[in-house]
Amino acid sequence: MTSVFDDLVGQEHIVEILKGAVAASRTGEESQEMTHAWVFTGPPGSGRSSAAVAFAQALICPNKGCGVCSDCNSAKTSGHPDVEIIRTEGLSIKVEEVRELLTRVAWAPSMGGWRVVVMEDADRLTESAANALLKAIEEPGTRTVWLLCAPTLHDVLPTIRSRCRHLQLRTPSLEAVTQVLINRDNIAPGMADFAARVSQGHIGRAKYLATNESVRSNRKLIMQLPLQLGSLAAAFQAAQTLVDIATAEANSSSDERDEKEIEKLQEAYGKGATGRGMATGGAKAVKELEKEQKSRSTRMVRDSIDGALLDIATFYRDVMMVQAGANDALINKELETEIRTLAEKTKPQSTIKKINAIMDARTNLSHNAAPLLTVEALMCVLAR
C-alpha cells in the first residue's frame, strides 16, 4: 500500500513519529503525539520540506496519507483549500505576507478536519514577520496546524521554537540515495552513484545532476578552478568565471518563467482582448511582479553561487582526507590524481584555513554581501 511518507528516504524515525501524530489527530484532541505547531530541521537535501508536506497530506487525507486520493494530490500541489504551502522565492518573508496569511488561516477548515500551514523557509522570516507569526502560534486556532521548516533550530526565533515540537531529519546515506535514483527515476547505476556522491546525499540535487548534462558540465568547470589559482590574476579570473557560471545557470531557469508570468498577468488585465491595452491597474501590477521577479532572481543567483562554493569545499575536504590518510573516502574520485598532488604540496593547517574561508564566504553571501567581491576575496585566500 502506497503512502505519502514513501519518499522520505532514510527518515524512518521521523515517519514513525508522524504516523503516530496522524493517528492521534483522529481523536480531535491535542496530545503528546499531536500538537498544533511543529518545526522540521535538517541539512539541505534531508527532506524537511517533503516531510512537512507529507504530514500535511496525511492530516487531511481520509485514509491517513494514502498518496493517491484527490485530497493527497491537491495538498501536494497547493490546490487544497485547507492546506497552505508557503514557498518564498525572494530573499525574505515580510510581515505583510505573514499578516495576509494569518487572515486566511483564521477560517475554519472547509473540507478536512484540519487547516494546515507549511512554511518551507521559516529561517527567512524577518524579525517583524516572525513576531507576527509568534502571536498566531501562541493563540492557535482549534483546528490549525503550523509546520515550519528551517536548516537548524537556531534559525527559528527562540520564542517560536519553544512552542513547537521539534523533529530533526538526517542526511540520507549515499547508498539510499543511489537506490532511489535507480528505482524511482530510472537512472543508470553508474550515474546514480556519481550523483549521490557529489551531491552528498542531497536527493533533489542528485536527481538534478543526473538528469541535466549542462549542470554536470558546469560543475566540472567549477571543480577545475582550485587547480588554476597559480597567481593573483588567476584568482580574480577564477572568481569571475565562478560568478558567471552560477549567474548563467540561475538565469537560464528563470528567464523563460519570468516572461510567461508577465504574459499571463497582462492577459488577466485584458491585454490583446480589447485592442486598448490593459485595464486600469495593470501597469502597476506588472511593475510589482517585475520587482518580485528581480528579488527571486537575486536569490537564485546567490543560491547558485552558494552551491558552487559547496562543490569547491568538497575538493578541499578530499585534500584534507588524503592528508589524514583516509584515502577511501573521497567525494570527487574523478579528481583523485589532482587531489593527491595538492595534498602532498600543502599542509593540513592550510587546507583547514581554506575550508573555513569558503564557509565564511557563504555566510557573507547570506548576509547580502556583493557576490563578485566576496568570491574574489575568497579566491585570493585559496590561491595562497
Side-chain angles (χ1 to χ4, degrees):
M1 182 178 177
T2 60
S3 168
V4 292
F5 300 112
D6 288 345
D7 289 338
L8 299 184
V9 181
Q11 310 298 339
E12 291 78 12
H13 63 302
I14 298 297
V15 171
E16 184 178 350
I17 292 171
L18 295 180
K19 285 184 175 180
V22 172
S25 72
R26 295 300 194 261
T27 66
E29 298 178 2
E30 185 166 320
S31 63
Q32 186 176 358
E33 290 79 16
M34 180 62 197
T35 186
H36 75 283
W38 302 67
V39 57
F40 295 77
T41 65
S46 59
R48 55 181 184 261
S49 297
S50 298
V53 172
F55 188 27
Q57 292 174 277
L59 286 174
I60 57 92
C61 173
N63 301 312
K64 300 182 181 181
C66 63
V68 295
C69 69
S70 60
D71 285 324
C72 284
N73 291 329
S74 60
K76 187 175 184 178
T77 58
S78 301
H80 196 283
D82 292 334
V83 178
E84 290 263 1
I85 301 179
I86 311 301
R87 297 184 174 105
T88 181
E89 295 177 324
L91 296 174
S92 62
I93 302 176
K94 298 178 176 59
V95 65
E96 294 81 7
E97 299 173 68
V98 172
R99 286 172 179 162
E100 183 182 342
L101 170 66
L102 296 179
T103 300
R104 295 196 302 272
V105 301
W107 308 331
S110 58
M111 293 176 61
W114 296 92
R115 180 171 290 278
V116 189
V117 182
V118 178
M119 186 169 290
E120 294 193 350
D121 299 288
D123 54 307
R124 294 184 184 269
L125 286 163
T126 63
E127 185 176 352
S128 54
N131 288 327
L133 179 61
L134 171 62
K135 188 173 182 180
I137 292 178
E138 283 180 325
E139 302 171 3
T142 55
R143 304 297 293 177
T144 299
V145 181
W146 293 88
L147 309 179
L148 311 181
C149 306
T152 71
L153 203 55
H154 296 291
D155 292 314
V156 182
L157 198 69
T159 46
I160 290 180
R161 67 180 187 239
S162 65
R163 291 165 173 79
C164 299
R165 183 173 181 182
H166 176 217
L167 295 182
Q168 172 72 49
L169 281 77
R170 57 196 175 207
T171 301
S173 68
L174 299 186
E175 293 78 10
V177 176
T178 301
Q179 287 304 312
V180 168
L181 294 178
I182 294 172
N183 299 331
R184 186 189 68 186
D185 302 314
N186 297 318
I187 292 169
M191 179 60 69
D193 174 73
F194 164 79
R197 178 163 35 84
V198 301
S199 67
Q200 302 174 75
H202 191 307
I203 297 176
R205 179 160 174 75
K207 181 180 178 181
Y208 190 48
L209 274 166
T211 57
N212 195 319
E213 186 177 353
S214 65
V215 174
R216 296 196 297 274
S217 177
N218 285 341
R219 186 184 186 278
K220 187 175 181 180
L221 291 174
I222 288 169
M223 296 306 293
Q224 292 295 320
L225 295 180
L227 305 173
Q228 301 168 5
L229 302 176
S231 65
L232 199 59
F236 281 98
Q237 181 59 50
Q240 187 67 62
T241 300
L242 187 150
V243 172
D244 287 346
I245 291 174
T247 302
E249 186 174 309
N251 290 342
S252 67
S253 60
S254 64
D255 288 345
E256 184 177 352
R257 177 183 178 182
D258 290 351
E259 186 178 342
K260 287 181 179 179
E261 287 178 345
I262 290 176
E263 287 179 358
K264 286 183 178 180
L265 184 60
Q266 289 174 334
E267 289 175 3
Y269 275 90
K271 183 177 181 179
T274 63
R276 294 184 298 177
M278 293 184 290
T280 303
K284 181 179 179 181
V286 169
K287 284 185 178 180
E288 287 293 326
L289 176 58
E290 289 174 342
K291 184 178 178 181
E292 292 177 9
Q293 289 175 340
K294 185 177 180 180
S295 176
R296 180 174 67 197
S297 177
T298 299
R299 176 184 169 183
M300 290 178 69
V301 169
R302 290 180 185 274
D303 287 349
S304 186
I305 293 174
D306 184 71
L309 294 183
L310 275 175
D311 284 335
I312 293 176
T314 66
F315 176 86
Y316 288 104
R317 175 262 185 201
D318 285 347
V319 171
M320 185 173 64
M321 295 301 286
V322 172
Q323 291 170 333
N327 299 322
D328 298 329
L330 299 186
I331 292 174
N332 301 287
K333 294 179 180 178
E334 300 76 16
L335 297 172
E336 184 173 355
T337 302
E338 294 85 345
I339 289 167
R340 290 185 180 280
T341 300
L342 186 60
E344 293 173 0
K345 291 181 178 179
T346 57
K347 295 182 179 180
Q349 294 89 335
S350 173
T351 306
I352 293 172
K353 286 181 180 179
K354 290 176 180 180
I355 293 174
N356 289 337
I358 295 173
M359 296 302 111
D360 289 343
R362 295 181 63 222
T363 300
N364 292 336
L365 280 174
S366 71
H367 294 159
N368 295 331
L372 182 58
L373 290 176
T374 301
V375 179
E376 284 176 343
L378 170 63
M379 290 299 175
C380 289
V381 173
L382 300 183
R384 292 173 188 168

